[in-house]
Amino acid sequence: MSRDLYRLALAVLHPGFEGTSAPDWLRRALGEGLGGVVLFARNAIGAPLVKELRAENPGVVVAIDEEGGTVTRLEVAAGSSFPGNRALGVVDDAGLTERVGRQIGRMLAELDITLDYAPSADVNANPANPVIGVRSFGPDPDLVARHTAAFVRGVQGAGVAACAKHFPGHGDTVTDSHLALPTVHASREELLARDLPPFRAAIEAGVRSVMTGHLLVPALDPDAPATLSRAALTELLRGELGFDGMVVTDAIEMRAVAAMASPGEIAVRALNAGADAICIGIAGEDGLREIRDAVVAAVRDGVLPEERLAEAAGRVRALSDWYAARPADREAARADVDPGVGLTAAREALTVTGTARLDRAPLVVEVNTRLSQAVDPDTPTGITAALTTLLPGTTMVRLERDAPLPDLGSPDPDGGRPVVLVVHDAARHAWVRDVMDAAVAARPDAIVVDTGVPGPPAGATHIATHGISRVSAQAAAERLTR
């Protein structure tokens, strides 16, 4: 009985790990019934690593954040081959979004990865949102709903499970849940009309998993964030929306919930609320053991019903079984290579004001906006690299906040150096707009490229890529040089 209880507790835990191979503690835990593992860019992800994990537990749920655009774990060094959700929403071609989802699913199928923590189904209702932004398909619920469903169909058609996040919607927040607990100030009616349609659409499309948001939503529960709220997870998601797949928490070391209690207590509270899998981005042997033991103790003390734990473990197993039953879908997807779809989407997503072109190597000034903690810190904007490929001799200066603007020279049509200013989310950052205004005042011929949610056009030409990716940068560079 005791051994079974420990296996049930391990089955609902999904930790990440340090290093490029499976550490001994992780191998042992997998052999003892650990239900899932989360991969990050730091793990140098490849098929041999996944094979190591499956050697210890063939049914392990191997999960990854591969949204495309700014959030990529597989293509951090060069940037994603796909432009990201906002760009897809700007194009607004659901068939194209499904093709992108299928190609992301194909990449994961090649590596034998079970679950993609994507798409973001958040409606970016607040332009000041610091963590969603271009990760959302846009600010309109109907648009987000149809593209969420299309992305789910694409990924799962390739035999890989998708995950709609961050329930019940992280779009109307001004706080990054990695750092503190955001509050969604909306009535229940607003939530039903604005935030929930994309999750309904994902469920109707058969999404296999939903990720909770660490969000306080007083209209649903004034006392507990959604991850820890039975009203949100059991009454709303299960009861009203009818979702019967695996509910996984966002990483429990995020400050939004980590500041409230120990990891073990957070895990127990999440399971009691209705979560099935506990995502632990950074665990380690001691941390995993502590959380496992807390779950076991909660069952023995009558705090967590064993039936609830068994139900949660059963849903993790059901997702694993769903994946195991679809080798033919993955095989078909591996053969269905659509190499140009990401660049096609990136080109169609460009919003261009002005007609300036580059005919010689420019100075690129990258205004170093700090991206959210959901984005790997090594992710490049790619603009300088893309321009250098087309215009050898391109140079770059990175401008930190409060740093003086470098000498931009003066406009000279007979040989002066062009200036390209690269910004991110100018609409959200007053200091970025100040830098942009100063640069354009000094060089009215400057070209401005905004890789985020853009503000009003500025400069001789303004290009909004609506996302950070290798293909978005390539599309912008092509537009500026041809």
Side-chain angles (χ1 to χ4, degrees):
M1 180 66 171
S2 176
R3 184 179 300 172
D4 290 344
L5 191 53
Y6 275 97
R7 288 189 74 85
L8 283 179
L10 279 172
V12 303
L13 303 184
H14 294 196
F17 62 95
E18 299 286 349
T20 57
S21 61
D24 290 344
W25 66 265
L26 184 62
R27 290 172 179 270
R28 286 194 298 272
L30 285 165
E32 293 165 2
L34 183 67
V37 175
V38 186
L39 300 180
F40 293 88
R42 64 178 182 252
N43 301 130
I45 303 158
L49 174 59
V50 178
K51 191 174 181 179
E52 273 188 74
L53 302 174
R54 293 205 183 279
E56 305 296 335
N57 178 358
V60 61
V61 172
V62 182
I64 191 171
D65 272 297
E66 194 62 37
E67 298 177 15
T70 57
V71 178
T72 175
R73 305 301 185 225
L74 296 178
E75 298 187 290
V76 166
S80 178
S81 300
F82 310 98
N85 283 5
R86 183 180 173 89
L88 294 170
V90 167
V91 177
D92 196 13
D93 177 345
L96 184 62
T97 296
E98 184 168 348
R99 285 172 60 196
V100 167
R102 181 170 177 81
Q103 289 307 298
I104 290 176
R106 185 186 65 78
M107 288 170 58
L108 303 186
E110 290 274 9
L111 299 174
D112 200 13
I113 290 173
T114 317
L115 173 64
D116 188 9
Y117 288 152
S120 168
D122 307 295
V123 177
N124 198 53
N126 192 328
N129 195 309
V131 68
I132 302 301
V134 293
R135 298 169 66 198
S136 166
F137 290 110
D140 177 74
D142 291 338
L143 179 144
V144 176
R146 64 177 169 268
H147 287 278
T148 295
F151 193 98
V152 168
R153 289 193 299 269
V155 172
Q156 294 193 167
V160 173
C163 178
K165 63 186 184 185
H166 306 82
F167 185 84
H170 207 320
D172 187 14
T173 62
V174 294
T175 303
D176 184 344
S177 52
H178 293 84
L179 306 176
L181 178 63
T183 299
V184 177
H185 299 286
S187 67
R188 186 179 179 88
E189 291 71 28
E190 285 177 293
L191 291 170
L192 291 172
R194 182 192 64 194
D195 297 283
L196 295 185
F199 291 98
R200 290 186 186 275
I203 292 166
E204 290 170 4
V207 73
R208 302 308 306 170
S209 181
V210 169
M211 177 178 282
T212 69
H214 299 326
L215 312 161
L216 187 65
V217 188
L220 298 178
D221 188 331
D223 301 316
T227 295
L228 310 180
S229 170
R230 183 173 178 81
L233 301 189
T234 298
E235 295 171 17
L236 178 58
L237 181 57
R238 297 284 188 210
E240 293 185 42
L241 301 189
F243 179 63
D244 63 359
M246 187 186 82
V247 175
V248 59
T249 70
D250 210 342
I252 63 169
E253 73 274 10
M254 292 165 63
R255 295 299 298 166
V257 293
M260 295 180 171
S262 68
E265 183 177 342
I266 293 296
V268 170
R269 290 175 63 184
L271 289 163
N272 259 327
D276 304 306
I278 309 299
C279 173
I280 314 157
I282 303 171
E285 183 172 13
D286 292 343
L288 184 67
R289 186 186 303 117
E290 174 193 335
I291 298 169
R292 178 204 64 186
D293 291 351
V295 172
V296 169
V299 173
R300 288 177 171 164
D301 294 343
V303 174
L304 174 66
E306 185 171 350
E307 295 78 12
R308 168 79 273 270
L309 179 60
E311 178 186 57
R315 288 206 180 102
V316 174
R317 188 164 53 250
L319 188 144
S320 174
D321 290 346
W322 179 93
Y323 178 83
R326 281 158 178 77
D329 289 345
R330 291 190 291 280
E331 191 61 35
R334 290 187 193 104
D336 184 18
V337 181
D338 191 357
V341 66
L343 183 56
T344 294
R347 287 169 174 158
E348 292 186 21
L350 293 181
T351 304
V352 183
T353 304
T355 59
R357 292 288 187 271
L358 294 171
D359 59 4
R360 53 194 182 276
L363 168 66
V364 178
V365 180
E366 294 218 9
V367 180
N368 193 19
T369 307
R370 185 178 297 278
L371 301 175
S372 84
Q373 292 194 21
V375 181
D376 191 284
D378 293 328
T379 302
T381 69
I383 301 294
T384 301
L387 284 172
T388 300
T389 298
L390 297 173
L391 297 170
T394 295
T395 58
M396 184 265 285
V397 174
R398 181 167 285 117
L399 194 66
E400 301 291 339
R401 184 170 186 169
D402 298 326
L405 197 66
D407 181 7
L408 301 181
S410 58
D412 179 359
D414 298 321
R417 185 152 219 197
V419 170
V420 176
L421 189 71
V422 181
V423 300
H424 185 78
D425 280 357
R428 193 166 64 83
H429 297 287
W431 74 272
V432 173
R433 293 195 299 276
D434 290 344
V435 169
M436 193 166 61
D437 290 345
V440 171
R443 289 291 301 266
D445 62 328
I447 291 166
V448 177
V449 180
D450 195 325
T451 61
V453 178
T461 287
H462 182 277
I463 294 184
T465 64
H466 303 286
I468 291 177
S469 70
R470 178 180 56 78
V471 289
S472 298
Q474 182 179 340
E478 288 175 353
R479 179 65 70 92
L480 287 171
T481 56
R482 294 177 186 171

